[in-house]
Amino acid sequence: MLLLPLLLSAVLFPGGDNEHAFQGPTSFHVIQISSFANSTWAQNQGSGWLDDLQIHGWDSDSGTAIFLKPWSKGNFSDEEVTELEELFRLYLIGFVREVQDRASEFQMEYPFEIQGIAGCELHSGGTTVSFLRGALGGLDFLSIKNESCAPAPEGGSRAQKFCTLISQYQGIADIVRKLLLETCPRYLLGVLDAGKAELQRQVKPEAWLSSGPAPGPGHLLLVCHVSGFYPKPVWVMWMRGEQEQPGTQQGDVLPNADGTWYLRVTLDVAAGEAAGLACRVRHSSLGGQDIILYWGRSTSIGLIVLAIIVPSLILLICFALWFWRRWSYLNIP
Ligand SMILES: *[C@@H]1O[C@H](CO)[C@@H](O)[C@H](O)[C@H]1NC(C)=O
Ligand SMILES: *[C@@H]1O[C@H](CO)[C@@H](O)[C@H](O)[C@H]1NC(C)=O
Ligand SMILES: *[C@@H]1O[C@H](CO)[C@@H](O)[C@H](O)[C@H]1NC(C)=O
Protein backbone atom coordinates (compact mmCIF):
# COMPACT_ATOMS: atom_id res chain seq x y z
CA MET A 1 0.00 0.00 0.00
CA LEU A 2 2.85 2.34 0.82
CA LEU A 3 4.39 1.67 -2.56
CA LEU A 4 1.27 2.62 -4.46
CA PRO A 5 1.56 6.43 -4.09
CA LEU A 6 5.21 6.18 -5.08
CA LEU A 7 4.38 4.16 -8.18
CA LEU A 8 1.54 6.52 -9.03
CA SER A 9 3.70 9.59 -8.70
CA ALA A 10 6.33 8.00 -10.92
CA VAL A 11 3.68 7.36 -13.56
CA LEU A 12 1.91 10.69 -13.18
CA PHE A 13 5.01 12.85 -12.94
CA PRO A 14 7.50 11.21 -15.26
CA GLY A 15 9.44 14.48 -15.38
CA GLY A 16 10.21 14.13 -11.69
CA ASP A 17 12.98 11.95 -10.35
CA ASN A 18 13.13 9.55 -13.28
CA GLU A 19 14.55 12.28 -15.46
CA HIS A 20 17.57 12.31 -13.19
CA ALA A 21 18.14 8.56 -13.17
CA PHE A 22 21.32 8.91 -15.25
CA GLN A 23 23.08 12.06 -14.24
CA GLY A 24 26.53 13.17 -15.17
CA PRO A 25 28.43 13.94 -18.34
CA THR A 26 27.84 12.10 -21.61
CA SER A 27 30.66 13.37 -23.83
CA PHE A 28 34.43 13.61 -24.01
CA HIS A 29 36.32 16.14 -26.09
CA VAL A 30 39.79 17.56 -26.44
CA ILE A 31 40.41 21.22 -27.18
CA GLN A 32 43.43 22.62 -29.01
CA ILE A 33 44.24 26.32 -29.06
CA SER A 34 47.23 27.27 -31.19
CA SER A 35 48.42 30.87 -31.16
CA PHE A 36 50.75 32.08 -33.89
CA ALA A 37 52.36 35.39 -32.89
CA ASN A 38 54.73 35.73 -35.84
CA SER A 39 56.55 33.56 -38.35
CA THR A 40 58.80 32.06 -35.65
CA TRP A 41 56.73 32.01 -32.46
CA ALA A 42 53.77 29.76 -31.75
CA GLN A 43 52.18 28.20 -28.68
CA ASN A 44 49.80 25.26 -28.16
CA GLN A 45 47.32 24.77 -25.36
CA GLY A 46 45.56 21.46 -24.94
CA SER A 47 42.92 20.14 -22.59
CA GLY A 48 40.51 17.22 -22.18
CA TRP A 49 36.93 17.56 -20.99
CA LEU A 50 33.92 15.52 -19.90
CA ASP A 51 31.11 17.92 -20.85
CA ASP A 52 32.19 21.05 -18.95
CA LEU A 53 34.48 19.29 -16.47
CA GLN A 54 38.17 19.52 -17.32
CA ILE A 55 40.01 16.26 -16.61
CA HIS A 56 43.23 16.71 -18.65
CA GLY A 57 45.70 19.50 -19.16
CA TRP A 58 48.65 19.56 -21.53
CA ASP A 59 52.21 20.51 -20.64
CA SER A 60 53.53 21.84 -23.97
CA ASP A 61 57.14 22.04 -22.73
CA SER A 62 57.43 18.33 -22.03
CA GLY A 63 54.68 17.31 -24.47
CA THR A 64 52.86 15.27 -21.85
CA ALA A 65 49.32 15.15 -20.52
CA ILE A 66 48.41 16.38 -17.05
CA PHE A 67 45.86 14.12 -15.35
CA LEU A 68 43.64 16.33 -13.22
CA LYS A 69 41.64 13.47 -11.68
CA PRO A 70 42.90 10.18 -10.24
CA TRP A 71 40.61 8.45 -12.78
CA SER A 72 41.51 10.64 -15.80
CA LYS A 73 43.15 7.69 -17.61
CA GLY A 74 39.85 5.81 -17.59
CA ASN A 75 40.49 2.12 -18.15
CA PHE A 76 43.41 2.69 -20.57
CA SER A 77 46.72 1.04 -19.75
CA ASP A 78 49.79 3.20 -19.08
CA GLU A 79 51.25 1.98 -22.40
CA GLU A 80 48.23 3.10 -24.39
CA VAL A 81 48.19 6.47 -22.60
CA THR A 82 51.90 6.98 -23.37
CA GLU A 83 51.28 6.05 -27.01
CA LEU A 84 48.48 8.62 -27.25
CA GLU A 85 50.60 11.32 -25.57
CA GLU A 86 53.35 10.64 -28.13
CA LEU A 87 50.82 10.88 -30.96
CA PHE A 88 49.47 14.23 -29.70
CA ARG A 89 53.00 15.55 -29.10
CA LEU A 90 54.07 14.72 -32.69
CA TYR A 91 50.77 16.05 -34.04
CA LEU A 92 51.14 19.42 -32.28
CA ILE A 93 54.75 19.86 -33.42
CA GLY A 94 53.81 18.88 -36.98
CA PHE A 95 50.72 21.09 -36.92
CA VAL A 96 52.67 24.21 -35.95
CA ARG A 97 55.39 23.55 -38.53
CA GLU A 98 52.86 22.86 -41.29
CA VAL A 99 50.84 26.02 -40.53
CA GLN A 100 53.97 28.19 -40.41
CA ASP A 101 55.24 26.71 -43.71
CA ARG A 102 51.93 27.32 -45.47
CA ALA A 103 51.00 30.64 -43.82
CA SER A 104 51.82 32.73 -46.88
CA GLU A 105 50.26 30.22 -49.31
CA PHE A 106 47.00 30.55 -47.31
CA GLN A 107 47.46 34.32 -46.94
CA MET A 108 47.45 34.15 -43.17
CA GLU A 109 48.33 37.37 -41.41
CA TYR A 110 50.11 37.24 -38.05
CA PRO A 111 49.04 37.14 -35.32
CA PHE A 112 46.26 34.56 -35.60
CA GLU A 113 44.72 31.80 -33.54
CA ILE A 114 43.47 28.34 -34.52
CA GLN A 115 41.05 26.40 -32.33
CA GLY A 116 40.05 22.78 -32.62
CA ILE A 117 37.59 20.58 -30.77
CA ALA A 118 37.20 16.85 -31.28
CA GLY A 119 35.50 14.11 -29.35
CA CYS A 120 32.55 11.82 -29.02
CA GLU A 121 29.17 11.83 -27.33
CA LEU A 122 27.06 9.05 -25.88
CA HIS A 123 23.48 9.03 -27.19
CA SER A 124 20.48 7.14 -25.87
CA GLY A 125 20.56 3.49 -26.80
CA GLY A 126 24.32 3.35 -26.22
CA THR A 127 25.36 4.69 -29.63
CA THR A 128 28.19 7.23 -29.83
CA VAL A 129 28.52 10.14 -32.24
CA SER A 130 31.94 11.63 -32.95
CA PHE A 131 32.72 15.17 -34.00
CA LEU A 132 35.62 17.40 -35.04
CA ARG A 133 35.44 21.13 -35.70
CA GLY A 134 38.09 23.72 -36.43
CA ALA A 135 37.92 27.51 -36.11
CA LEU A 136 40.14 30.33 -37.28
CA GLY A 137 40.14 33.55 -35.26
CA GLY A 138 36.96 32.44 -33.47
CA LEU A 139 34.99 31.76 -36.68
CA ASP A 140 33.97 28.28 -37.83
CA PHE A 141 36.43 27.01 -40.41
CA LEU A 142 35.73 23.34 -41.04
CA SER A 143 34.15 20.25 -39.58
CA ILE A 144 34.10 16.56 -40.29
CA LYS A 145 30.80 15.44 -41.72
CA ASN A 146 30.15 11.90 -42.80
CA GLU A 147 33.86 11.14 -42.38
CA SER A 148 35.06 13.82 -44.75
CA CYS A 149 36.28 17.41 -44.44
CA ALA A 150 33.46 19.96 -44.81
CA PRO A 151 34.48 23.62 -45.14
CA ALA A 152 32.34 26.06 -43.11
CA PRO A 153 30.70 28.95 -45.02
CA GLU A 154 32.50 31.41 -42.69
CA GLY A 155 35.82 29.86 -43.73
CA GLY A 156 35.41 31.04 -47.34
CA SER A 157 37.65 29.82 -50.13
CA ARG A 158 40.52 29.36 -47.68
CA ALA A 159 38.58 26.58 -45.89
CA GLN A 160 37.70 24.93 -49.22
CA LYS A 161 41.34 25.01 -50.25
CA PHE A 162 42.37 23.55 -46.89
CA CYS A 163 39.89 20.65 -47.16
CA THR A 164 41.17 19.87 -50.65
CA LEU A 165 44.74 19.87 -49.35
CA ILE A 166 44.02 17.69 -46.29
CA SER A 167 42.16 15.07 -48.34
CA GLN A 168 45.51 14.18 -49.97
CA TYR A 169 46.91 12.97 -46.64
CA GLN A 170 45.35 9.52 -46.40
CA GLY A 171 47.55 8.46 -43.47
CA ILE A 172 46.40 11.37 -41.30
CA ALA A 173 42.77 10.75 -42.21
CA ASP A 174 43.09 7.11 -41.14
CA ILE A 175 44.59 8.06 -37.75
CA VAL A 176 41.90 10.71 -37.13
CA ARG A 177 39.17 8.26 -38.10
CA LYS A 178 40.51 5.63 -35.70
CA LEU A 179 40.83 8.16 -32.85
CA LEU A 180 37.33 9.53 -33.35
CA LEU A 181 35.39 6.37 -34.12
CA GLU A 182 37.25 3.72 -32.12
CA THR A 183 39.51 5.20 -29.41
CA CYS A 184 37.19 7.99 -28.24
CA PRO A 185 34.03 5.90 -27.62
CA ARG A 186 36.08 3.19 -25.89
CA TYR A 187 37.79 5.79 -23.69
CA LEU A 188 34.52 7.62 -22.96
CA LEU A 189 32.77 4.50 -21.67
CA GLY A 190 35.81 3.56 -19.58
CA VAL A 191 36.33 7.00 -18.03
CA LEU A 192 32.64 7.50 -17.24
CA ASP A 193 32.81 4.23 -15.32
CA ALA A 194 36.16 4.96 -13.63
CA GLY A 195 34.96 8.37 -12.41
CA LYS A 196 31.36 7.49 -11.67
CA ALA A 197 31.62 7.98 -7.88
CA GLU A 198 32.48 11.63 -8.52
CA LEU A 199 30.54 12.18 -11.76
CA GLN A 200 27.24 10.77 -10.47
CA ARG A 201 27.42 12.27 -6.98
CA GLN A 202 24.46 14.29 -5.71
CA VAL A 203 25.15 17.44 -3.68
CA LYS A 204 22.25 19.42 -2.25
CA PRO A 205 22.02 23.15 -2.91
CA GLU A 206 21.83 25.84 -0.28
CA ALA A 207 19.50 28.73 -1.09
CA TRP A 208 19.08 32.21 0.33
CA LEU A 209 17.35 35.45 -0.60
CA SER A 210 18.61 39.00 -0.83
CA SER A 211 17.54 42.22 -2.51
CA GLY A 212 19.47 43.58 -5.45
CA PRO A 213 19.90 47.20 -6.58
CA ALA A 214 16.42 48.76 -7.03
CA PRO A 215 15.50 48.48 -10.74
CA GLY A 216 13.44 51.70 -10.54
CA PRO A 217 11.44 53.90 -8.17
CA GLY A 218 8.96 51.85 -6.14
CA HIS A 219 10.43 48.58 -7.42
CA LEU A 220 12.36 45.81 -5.74
CA LEU A 221 14.79 43.31 -7.20
CA LEU A 222 14.30 40.01 -5.41
CA VAL A 223 17.36 37.79 -5.66
CA CYS A 224 17.34 34.06 -5.03
CA HIS A 225 20.81 32.53 -4.68
CA VAL A 226 21.24 28.78 -5.14
CA SER A 227 24.70 27.42 -4.50
CA GLY A 228 26.75 24.28 -3.98
CA PHE A 229 24.67 21.86 -6.05
CA TYR A 230 25.81 19.02 -8.29
CA PRO A 231 25.03 17.94 -10.99
CA LYS A 232 24.39 21.07 -13.02
CA PRO A 233 20.74 20.76 -14.10
CA VAL A 234 18.56 22.74 -11.70
CA TRP A 235 15.15 24.41 -11.81
CA VAL A 236 14.67 27.68 -9.92
CA MET A 237 11.57 29.88 -10.19
CA TRP A 238 9.94 32.79 -8.42
CA MET A 239 6.38 31.71 -7.51
CA ARG A 240 3.20 33.13 -6.08
CA GLY A 241 1.52 30.05 -4.66
CA GLU A 242 1.58 27.55 -7.53
CA GLN A 243 1.89 30.32 -10.13
CA GLU A 244 5.28 30.63 -11.86
CA GLN A 245 6.25 34.30 -12.21
CA PRO A 246 7.02 34.90 -15.91
CA GLY A 247 9.31 37.84 -15.10
CA THR A 248 11.82 35.47 -13.47
CA GLN A 249 15.33 36.07 -14.87
CA GLN A 250 17.91 33.29 -14.74
CA GLY A 251 21.61 34.07 -14.62
CA ASP A 252 24.25 31.72 -16.01
CA VAL A 253 25.00 28.62 -14.00
CA LEU A 254 28.48 29.46 -12.70
CA PRO A 255 31.14 27.10 -11.36
CA ASN A 256 32.19 27.14 -7.69
CA ALA A 257 35.83 26.33 -6.94
CA ASP A 258 34.91 22.92 -5.48
CA GLY A 259 33.27 21.69 -8.71
CA THR A 260 29.70 22.47 -7.59
CA TRP A 261 27.48 25.09 -9.25
CA TYR A 262 25.93 28.44 -8.42
CA LEU A 263 22.85 30.15 -9.88
CA ARG A 264 21.24 33.54 -9.24
CA VAL A 265 17.58 34.05 -10.18
CA THR A 266 15.95 37.47 -9.92
CA LEU A 267 12.50 39.03 -10.13
CA ASP A 268 11.69 42.71 -10.59
CA VAL A 269 8.46 43.56 -8.69
CA ALA A 270 6.55 46.60 -7.49
CA ALA A 271 7.42 47.03 -3.81
CA GLY A 272 3.85 46.40 -2.68
CA GLU A 273 3.66 43.06 -4.46
CA ALA A 274 6.68 41.33 -2.97
CA ALA A 275 4.86 39.77 -0.02
CA GLY A 276 3.74 36.22 -0.67
CA LEU A 277 6.33 35.56 -3.36
CA ALA A 278 8.60 32.59 -2.93
CA CYS A 279 11.67 31.16 -4.61
CA ARG A 280 11.30 27.48 -5.43
CA VAL A 281 14.30 25.23 -6.09
CA ARG A 282 14.06 21.79 -7.64
CA HIS A 283 17.17 19.61 -7.93
CA SER A 284 17.84 15.90 -8.33
CA SER A 285 19.68 15.80 -4.97
CA LEU A 286 16.56 16.95 -3.11
CA GLY A 287 14.57 13.83 -3.97
CA GLY A 288 11.38 15.72 -4.82
CA GLN A 289 11.52 17.89 -1.66
CA ASP A 290 11.76 21.31 -3.28
CA ILE A 291 13.34 24.14 -1.31
CA ILE A 292 10.82 27.00 -0.91
CA LEU A 293 11.95 30.35 0.50
CA TYR A 294 9.32 33.04 1.15
CA TRP A 295 10.13 36.68 0.62
CA GLY A 296 9.67 38.89 3.68
CA ARG A 297 8.67 36.06 5.97
CA SER A 298 11.80 36.47 8.02
CA THR A 299 12.40 32.91 9.05
CA SER A 300 15.83 34.01 10.21
CA ILE A 301 14.40 36.38 12.84
CA GLY A 302 11.86 33.74 13.83
CA LEU A 303 14.66 31.22 14.23
CA ILE A 304 16.79 33.61 16.28
CA VAL A 305 13.86 34.33 18.61
CA LEU A 306 13.21 30.61 18.90
CA ALA A 307 16.88 29.91 19.52
CA ILE A 308 16.99 32.41 22.39
CA ILE A 309 13.58 31.88 23.98
CA VAL A 310 13.46 28.09 24.02
CA PRO A 311 16.79 27.50 25.84
CA SER A 312 16.03 30.39 28.25
CA LEU A 313 12.67 28.86 29.04
CA ILE A 314 14.18 25.42 29.62
CA LEU A 315 16.84 26.92 31.87
CA LEU A 316 14.22 28.82 33.81
CA ILE A 317 12.10 25.72 34.33
CA CYS A 318 15.13 23.68 35.45
CA PHE A 319 16.11 26.39 37.87
CA ALA A 320 12.57 26.65 39.23
CA LEU A 321 12.39 22.89 39.68
CA TRP A 322 15.75 22.75 41.41
CA PHE A 323 14.80 25.66 43.65
CA TRP A 324 11.46 24.11 44.48
CA ARG A 325 12.98 20.73 45.32
CA ARG A 326 15.65 22.31 47.46
CA TRP A 327 13.06 24.45 49.22
CA SER A 328 10.76 21.52 49.90
CA TYR A 329 13.76 19.43 51.07
CA LEU A 330 14.75 22.13 53.53
CA ASN A 331 11.22 22.65 54.76
CA ILE A 332 10.04 19.07 55.07
CA PRO A 333 12.52 17.31 57.35
C1 LIG B 1 57.61 36.79 -32.13
O1 LIG B 1 56.69 36.89 -31.04
C2 LIG B 1 57.25 36.63 -29.77
C3 LIG B 1 56.12 36.60 -28.74
O2 LIG B 1 55.25 37.66 -28.87
C4 LIG B 1 58.28 37.70 -29.46
O3 LIG B 1 58.87 37.47 -28.20
C5 LIG B 1 59.36 37.66 -30.55
O4 LIG B 1 60.29 38.72 -30.34
C6 LIG B 1 58.73 37.80 -31.94
N1 LIG B 1 59.76 37.59 -32.94
C7 LIG B 1 59.81 38.30 -34.05
C8 LIG B 1 60.88 37.93 -35.03
O5 LIG B 1 59.06 39.25 -34.28
C1 LIG C 1 28.12 9.60 -46.58
O1 LIG C 1 29.13 9.06 -47.42
C2 LIG C 1 28.77 7.87 -48.12
C3 LIG C 1 29.98 7.35 -48.88
O2 LIG C 1 30.98 8.28 -49.02
C4 LIG C 1 27.58 8.20 -49.07
O3 LIG C 1 27.18 7.03 -49.76
C5 LIG C 1 26.43 8.76 -48.22
O4 LIG C 1 25.36 9.14 -49.08
C6 LIG C 1 26.87 9.95 -47.41
N1 LIG C 1 25.78 10.36 -46.54
C7 LIG C 1 25.44 11.64 -46.38
C8 LIG C 1 24.32 11.90 -45.42
O5 LIG C 1 25.98 12.54 -46.95
C1 LIG D 1 37.47 -0.05 -21.41
O1 LIG D 1 36.05 -0.01 -21.31
C2 LIG D 1 35.39 -0.08 -22.57
C3 LIG D 1 33.90 0.07 -22.32
O2 LIG D 1 33.46 -0.70 -21.25
C4 LIG D 1 35.73 -1.40 -23.27
O3 LIG D 1 35.10 -1.42 -24.56
C5 LIG D 1 37.24 -1.51 -23.41
O4 LIG D 1 37.58 -2.77 -23.98
C6 LIG D 1 37.90 -1.37 -22.05
N1 LIG D 1 39.36 -1.48 -22.11
C7 LIG D 1 40.19 -0.72 -22.83
C8 LIG D 1 41.63 -0.97 -22.68
O5 LIG D 1 39.78 0.17 -23.57
Side-chain angles (χ1 to χ4, degrees):
M1 278 311 273
L2 277 174
L3 277 174
L4 195 64
L6 279 178
L7 284 174
L8 271 179
S9 71
V11 173
L12 292 175
F13 309 108
D17 272 354
N18 292 5
E19 175 186 13
H20 302 295
F22 289 102
Q23 287 284 347
T26 54
S27 70
F28 175 74
H29 63 265
V30 292
I31 289 182
Q32 170 197 351
I33 302 173
S34 300
S35 312
F36 296 84
N38 50 47
S39 57
T40 54
W41 194 95
Q43 185 190 47
N44 286 312
Q45 284 170 277
S47 51
W49 304 74
L50 285 174
D51 287 3
D52 40 28
L53 175 70
Q54 189 182 355
I55 59 167
H56 302 120
W58 182 259
D59 181 347
S60 4
D61 294 332
S62 62
T64 53
I66 301 161
F67 300 97
L68 300 174
K69 301 283 179 189
W71 41 265
S72 288
K73 290 182 186 176
N75 64 348
F76 278 19
S77 64
D78 286 342
E79 288 96 59
E80 185 162 19
V81 168
T82 310
E83 237 171 70
L84 287 167
E85 281 178 307
E86 180 71 4
L87 189 65
F88 284 119
R89 196 173 64 79
L90 291 176
Y91 159 73
L92 288 170
I93 293 170
F95 181 82
V96 165
R97 191 186 308 138
E98 208 59 26
V99 170
Q100 284 170 336
D101 286 354
R102 294 183 183 270
S104 57
E105 179 188 333
F106 278 86
Q107 294 167 347
M108 306 291 284
E109 281 179 28
Y110 291 105
F112 60 87
E113 194 159 79
I114 295 176
Q115 296 155 301
I117 181 169
C120 53
E121 181 168 17
L122 195 58
H123 283 215
S124 56
T127 56
T128 46
V129 174
S130 299
F131 52 88
L132 184 152
R133 295 191 297 276
L136 175 60
L139 291 178
D140 285 342
F141 190 70
L142 61 79
S143 64
I144 288 195
K145 286 210 177 94
N146 198 14
E147 294 192 32
S148 57
C149 184
E154 295 93 326
S157 58
R158 197 190 266 151
Q160 287 173 358
K161 192 173 159 191
F162 183 84
C163 277
T164 312
L165 176 75
I166 201 75
S167 62
Q168 296 163 12
Y169 292 88
Q170 195 53 48
I172 293 178
D174 288 342
I175 293 173
V176 171
R177 189 175 298 120
K178 180 162 182 267
L179 285 174
L180 284 177
L181 301 178
E182 194 270 310
T183 315
C184 185
R186 187 161 56 83
Y187 172 74
L188 174 64
L189 291 176
V191 80
L192 288 180
D193 189 54
K196 70 173 172 228
E198 183 172 342
L199 298 170
Q200 294 182 11
R201 75 192 192 280
Q202 294 283 335
V203 188
K204 288 183 183 171
E206 278 182 47
W208 67 96
L209 306 179
S210 72
S211 53
H219 272 245
L220 283 176
L221 189 68
L222 315 187
V223 186
C224 181
H225 306 262
V226 184
S227 186
F229 56 92
Y230 186 92
K232 196 176 183 181
V234 69
W235 182 90
V236 183
M237 187 58 74
W238 279 99
M239 315 279 291
R240 186 181 296 284
E242 289 299 308
Q243 204 75 44
E244 295 179 13
Q245 297 305 108
T248 300
Q249 298 274 343
Q250 292 238 352
D252 292 327
V253 180
L254 303 172
N256 283 325
D258 63 359
T260 63
W261 297 97
Y262 168 85
L263 175 64
R264 186 176 178 274
V265 171
T266 60
L267 183 67
D268 174 354
V269 286
E273 288 168 14
L277 286 167
C279 174
R280 184 166 194 150
V281 182
R282 194 169 292 162
H283 186 258
S284 53
S285 65
L286 298 169
Q289 301 278 321
D290 296 358
I291 296 177
I292 303 175
L293 296 177
Y294 287 91
W295 181 260
R297 197 181 289 178
S298 23
T299 38
S300 52
I301 290 182
L303 280 178
I304 289 168
V305 170
L306 218 68
I308 293 171
I309 289 192
V310 171
S312 314
L313 220 71
I314 291 172
L315 213 71
L316 208 73
I317 292 170
C318 289
F319 185 71
L321 278 174
W322 172 79
F323 190 78
W324 183 75
R325 276 193 60 183
R326 206 178 136 82
W327 181 80
S328 35
Y329 179 76
L330 285 175
N331 284 278
I332 306 162

